[in-house]
Amino acid sequence: MSPQPSPLPRLTPAFWGWAALDMIGVMVLAVGAAYLLEDRASILPGFPANRLQAWICVGGGIVTVFIAAVKMLVEVMHSASAGRDAANDRNFS
C-alpha cells in the first residue's frame, strides 16, 4: 500500500513573502482610511498629512492587497497541482 500525499498544499517561502506584502498593504490601506474617517493622522503621527496622501495610501493599499492575494492563490494552486511544484520552482514556465 503506497502512502498518499497530503491533500494540503505546500506553502513555499514565496507564499509567505506575498503574505507579508499583503499585511503591509492592509496597513497602508488602514493608515489612509483612518485619516479619511477622522480627518487627521491617527495611526502614524504626521502621516498622511493631507487628503491626497490619504487617498494615495488607500489606492496603493488596495492594489497591493489585490496583487498579493492573486500571487498567493497562484502559489497555492501550483503547489496543489499533480506535479507538486510551486510557482517559483525551477520547472515553472
Side-chain angles (χ1 to χ4, degrees), residues 23-39:
M23 289 186 287
I24 291 168
V26 169
M27 285 303 300
V28 170
L29 175 62
V31 166
Y35 182 92
L36 292 174
L37 288 173
E38 297 183 10
D39 207 25

Side-chain angles (χ1 to χ4, degrees), residues 25-83:
V26 169
M27 285 303 300
V28 170
L29 175 62
V31 166
Y35 182 92
L36 292 174
L37 288 173
E38 297 183 10
D39 207 25
R40 67 181 179 91
S42 57
I43 295 178
L44 295 175
F47 182 78
N50 55 38
R51 285 188 163 281
L52 177 62
Q53 288 179 358
W55 280 111
I56 290 171
C57 286
V58 168
I62 289 171
V63 168
T64 304
V65 167
F66 179 77
I67 290 171
V70 168
K71 294 292 191 172
M72 285 188 295
L73 286 172
V74 166
E75 287 291 329
V76 169
M77 292 185 68
H78 279 281
S79 67
S81 67

